[in-house]
Amino acid sequence: MGDGPKLVGPDIDAYIAEYKKFLAKNPPTQPKREPFYYRDLPNRKERSLRGCFHDELFSRDNIEWKLANKFFDGDIPYMYEKLETLPEESFEEFWQTYRVDAGPRADRKYTIIFYGVSGYTGSMIMEYLNRECKDNIETSIAFAGRTLNKVVAMRDKVLAGTKWANIDCLTADLSNPFDVERIVSQCRVIVNIAGPFMKTGGERLVEACIHY
């Protein structure tokens, strides 16, 4: 990729060094692009850590999916047939836009996003905001959850007829790193109340917040 953007992720420098050694011992029969990410390293054992945001964001499956959707109408087999014909400039563009550019926290759309508000705890938060928050900050707060219609239904049930009635509702699945990246990059603070916390992908959310 020449002087193009460098992939970032856990152990990437060590991976590059080890992969170069592998290539020296096993030269390809024809020129090929470097593998998408360190998980493709031959004989590498899978990590046991669950919910690693960067691991998943740069996994081969996710990169293939995004590359195919950007340039090949989502057709991954066809993408591999035509991959060598894709101009270098297109690869540069792909990597430049692969990650979300969140921008400064002070300029983000939302001050707070409450995630996982479709249940009882979410209803308590909504009631508290309506009862205690007198500032006009409703346009800087959003509710979010995995299932949008459930989030909207809870908002309409608790906040109908109040100044919070039209607060933005977002959808995101914590098992999808692109969804996590999208909502985290839109706010200064995200409050996760989606339980049980050990089973809902909260680790991805924490790692994404550290990054952004």
Side-chain angles (χ1 to χ4, degrees):
M1 299 267 322
D3 296 325
K6 178 183 177 183
L7 291 183
V8 295
D11 306 327
I12 189 66
D13 292 327
Y15 155 67
I16 292 174
E18 191 170 345
Y19 186 70
K20 286 180 178 178
K21 292 179 182 178
F22 171 80
L23 283 183
K25 295 179 180 179
N26 304 274
T29 56
Q30 60 183 10
K32 291 183 179 180
R33 299 185 185 275
E34 286 194 358
F36 285 105
Y37 191 51
Y38 69 88
R39 282 199 175 192
D40 303 322
L41 187 63
N43 303 319
R44 184 184 188 278
K45 293 182 179 179
E46 277 292 318
R47 291 192 170 209
S48 60
L49 178 63
R50 181 176 68 86
C52 187
F53 172 69
H54 280 104
D55 276 10
E56 293 176 345
L57 197 70
F58 286 102
S59 70
R60 184 186 184 107
D61 287 347
N62 280 326
I63 294 174
E64 285 178 339
W65 174 81
K66 206 160 189 178
L67 186 64
N69 275 281
K70 187 172 182 66
F71 296 114
F72 301 97
D73 296 324
D75 191 332
I76 293 177
Y78 178 72
M79 176 188 76
Y80 274 108
E81 291 178 11
K82 300 296 183 180
L83 194 58
E84 293 299 326
T85 67
L86 193 67
E88 194 74 13
E89 293 77 12
S90 296
F91 273 96
E92 297 286 348
E93 176 194 352
F94 175 73
W95 289 118
Q96 291 286 359
T97 59
Y98 189 79
R99 297 296 304 271
V100 171
D101 182 9
R105 287 189 179 90
D107 297 336
R108 295 181 188 177
K109 183 175 182 180
Y110 303 110
T111 301
I112 303 175
I113 292 177
F114 293 97
Y115 183 87
V117 295
S118 60
Y120 175 76
T121 305
S123 70
M124 294 295 98
I125 287 177
M126 293 179 186
E127 290 180 3
Y128 181 85
L129 284 172
N130 185 47
R131 183 177 66 250
E132 303 294 340
C133 188
K134 306 304 180 183
D135 297 329
N136 295 319
I137 60 170
E138 57 271 16
T139 58
S140 68
I141 292 178
F143 299 138
R146 184 177 61 180
T147 308
L148 182 60
N149 62 352
K150 291 183 178 180
V151 176
V152 173
M154 182 59 73
R155 179 202 63 183
D156 293 346
K157 176 182 178 181
V158 178
L159 299 174
T162 73
K163 68 176 184 178
W164 305 92
N166 295 316
I167 194 169
D168 288 353
C169 293
L170 313 174
T171 180
D173 187 338
L174 295 189
S175 68
N176 184 325
F178 297 113
D179 279 6
V180 172
E181 182 185 47
R182 175 173 48 80
I183 61 169
V184 169
S185 64
Q186 292 185 75
C187 64
R188 301 184 199 179
V189 175
I190 187 162
V191 179
N192 178 28
I193 54 174
F197 298 110
M198 295 300 292
K199 297 182 179 180
T200 53
E203 300 96 333
R204 298 175 187 86
L205 197 61
V206 171
E207 189 177 341
C209 288
I210 292 171
H211 179 80
Y212 286 105

